[in-house]
Amino acid sequence: MKKSHLFTPGPTPIPPDALLAMSQPIDYHRSEDTVALIKDVLKKMKHVFQTDNDVLFLTSSGTGAMDGAVANLLCKDDKVIVIRSGKFGERWSEICEAYGVQVIPIDVRWGDSVAPEIVESTLSTHPEAKAVFATLCETSTGALHDIEALADMTKSTQTLLVVDAVSALGADDLQMDNWGVDVVVSCSQKGLMTPPGLAFAALNQRAWKAVNRSNLPKYYLDYRKAHERGIEGSVPFTPAVTLLAALQYALNRICEDGIQETICRHNRMAIATRSAIKAIGLPLFATSPANTLTSIRLPEEFDGKVFVKMMREKHGITYAGGQGNLSGKIVRIAHLGWMNENDVIVAISAFERGIAEMGYDVPLGAGVTAVQEVLKNSMD
């Protein structure tokens, strides 16, 4: 009997009580109960975003919140700095260009994290830039960026810092208010343990001033409409009511543990996974890995696409492969959302078995032993 296990950085596994919430009879989205639901969800989202700013939501994927950030913050022909260190940094660039915004790129080798001094130099050269677009975790590579350092640079300038925390919210630390981050966007199907379909954005007062100046076209992704109606516990357009019900249960779990303990749990799983991969004898791909996922460089003789397909179809284990020019070259193992230390043991034991079947001379059990050592030491 094959049992499926999901180790991708989105969608991620969903708690049973969240799934059960979606099985209840659907309610009218203008009812008093739904108003209370929306207000409760948005209140709890502040805890996850680590902010006193209002959080707004859209019925879309995370890309919808990214698209909305560009459309709502900028004017045509504005200049912006975009950190492009992977597929999703490139997505910021593509969205900006689609709206006629001029992009000043900072291209970073995939797997590396941006050097803060390069951003500082670019800001000095282009003080007219209206925003810096960055990612917290570049999901395509597993690399973590130093958002605190970037915020320290931008908060004393007229340039906004806009952060894609789509995959990493709740897994890697992002202290929006304490660090001075202007805009954070995320979505439901990653650390928030809910199916795809909801996107979120939080903006501080500096960012809202930019919204009021923006002249780019916007309708469905209008942040002002979403914000005004969200305060009332309502929405400008029909929301995904069943997803909101699931999200409420997932948020209850996160808030019960507390956001910092939730981040610490992800950190323990990440350290254990990275230790296992090193014990197996394979190199990590990201130079500064995030808590969200671990990216592994495969041996040159391996076809990563064949490996990922074999693991899913034969063993019921779903990892993520590489994207873009990394297709077939890396495997990404997420330790994100509704996962705990035991899930890491499953992910690593299956990985060892799979690469052994592919012909790699792996010391079976070395990875699992490394995981157990890390977890044991973290409890001492």
Side-chain angles (χ1 to χ4, degrees):
M1 181 179 67
K2 184 170 70 175
K3 182 177 181 180
S4 296
H5 296 271
L6 187 61
F7 297 110
T8 62
T12 61
I14 302 168
D17 48 8
L19 290 171
L20 287 171
M22 293 190 295
S23 70
Q24 300 304 307
I26 194 167
D27 199 0
Y28 178 48
H29 64 282
R30 306 293 184 192
S31 71
E32 291 184 3
D33 287 343
T34 303
V35 168
L37 169 64
I38 291 172
K39 286 184 175 181
D40 183 60
V41 163
L42 294 183
K43 178 182 178 181
K44 290 183 169 76
M45 286 298 297
K46 289 185 178 185
H47 177 68
V48 178
F49 274 77
Q50 300 186 66
T51 185
D52 289 328
N53 298 302
D54 291 327
V55 178
L56 58 89
F57 81 93
L58 307 163
T59 302
S60 76
S61 68
T63 302
M66 295 172 71
D67 192 307
V70 174
N72 285 273
L73 293 169
L74 301 172
C75 298
K76 190 173 182 180
D77 296 323
D78 274 351
K79 292 182 179 179
V80 297
I81 297 168
V82 179
I83 300 167
R84 305 192 302 198
S85 62
K87 191 72 173 177
F88 297 97
E90 290 180 352
R91 184 165 296 180
W92 273 133
S93 186
E94 292 163 358
I95 295 169
C96 289
E97 289 167 350
Y99 280 100
V101 173
Q102 298 182 46
V103 172
I104 303 162
I106 297 177
D107 288 317
V108 180
R109 185 177 63 180
W110 285 35
D112 289 351
S113 303
V114 69
E117 57 268 22
I118 293 177
V119 180
E120 186 173 33
S121 174
T122 308
L123 278 167
S124 298
T125 306
H126 297 282
E128 75 280 10
K130 299 298 184 182
V132 173
F133 288 90
T135 56
L136 175 55
C137 166
E138 175 48 70
T139 318
S140 63
T141 69
L144 182 71
H145 291 283
D146 190 347
I147 298 302
E148 183 177 10
L150 301 186
D152 195 51
M153 296 172 196
T154 56
K155 63 187 178 185
S156 59
T157 71
Q158 297 301 309
T159 305
L160 300 175
L161 177 59
V162 186
V163 177
D164 160 12
V166 166
S167 65
L169 186 72
D172 285 283
D173 201 14
L174 179 57
Q175 300 179 29
M176 181 176 182
D177 289 1
N178 288 343
W179 295 352
V181 180
D182 298 295
V183 182
V184 178
V185 298
S186 193
C187 68
S188 55
Q189 76 269 20
K190 313 280 189 172
L192 296 182
M193 307 180 291
T194 305
L198 297 174
F200 306 92
L203 293 76
N204 66 12
Q205 289 305 307
R206 287 198 341 148
W208 281 114
K209 289 178 181 177
V211 170
N212 292 330
R213 292 192 300 267
S214 172
N215 64 8
L216 291 179
K218 57 193 73 74
Y219 184 76
Y220 183 75
L221 300 176
D222 190 322
Y223 276 11
R224 281 177 294 192
K225 290 179 183 177
H227 181 232
E228 290 166 2
R229 300 305 297 274
I231 293 172
E232 303 167 356
S234 186
V235 287
F237 312 105
T238 305
V241 179
T242 52
L243 298 184
L244 286 169
L247 177 62
Q248 185 180 48
Y249 277 86
L251 287 172
N252 287 342
R253 284 176 172 263
I254 294 172
C255 292
E256 181 179 346
D257 290 341
I259 187 59
Q260 286 304 319
E261 173 52 36
T262 299
I263 291 167
C264 287
R265 171 171 57 85
H266 284 87
N267 181 248
R268 289 193 298 272
M269 293 190 293
I271 292 172
T273 304
R274 295 196 293 263
S275 298
I277 298 305
K278 292 176 182 177
I280 290 169
L282 291 176
L284 301 176
F285 182 72
T287 54
S288 297
N291 291 339
T292 305
L293 72 151
T294 295
S295 54
I296 305 149
R297 189 186 295 275
L298 294 172
E300 289 186 5
E301 63 272 19
F302 267 41
D303 184 335
K305 290 183 285 188
V306 171
F307 173 73
V308 169
K309 186 172 186 290
M310 181 268 288
M311 292 302 295
R312 179 177 173 86
E313 294 181 354
K314 184 176 180 180
H315 298 297
I317 302 292
T318 302
Y319 304 124
Q323 295 178 284
N325 60 14
L326 296 178
S327 179
K329 298 178 181 178
I330 68 169
V331 167
R332 296 174 294 148
I333 301 178
H335 19 78
L336 177 63
W338 191 55
M339 291 188 187
N340 63 18
E341 291 85 351
N342 293 327
D343 294 302
V344 174
I345 295 171
V346 172
I348 293 302
S349 63
F351 184 80
E352 286 184 328
R353 179 181 178 186
I355 61 173
E357 288 183 27
M358 292 282 289
Y360 182 73
D361 186 17
V362 57
L364 289 173
V368 173
T369 298
V371 169
Q372 298 280 33
E373 288 294 335
V374 169
L375 299 180
K376 174 181 177 296
N377 293 336
S378 69
M379 297 175 63
D380 290 343

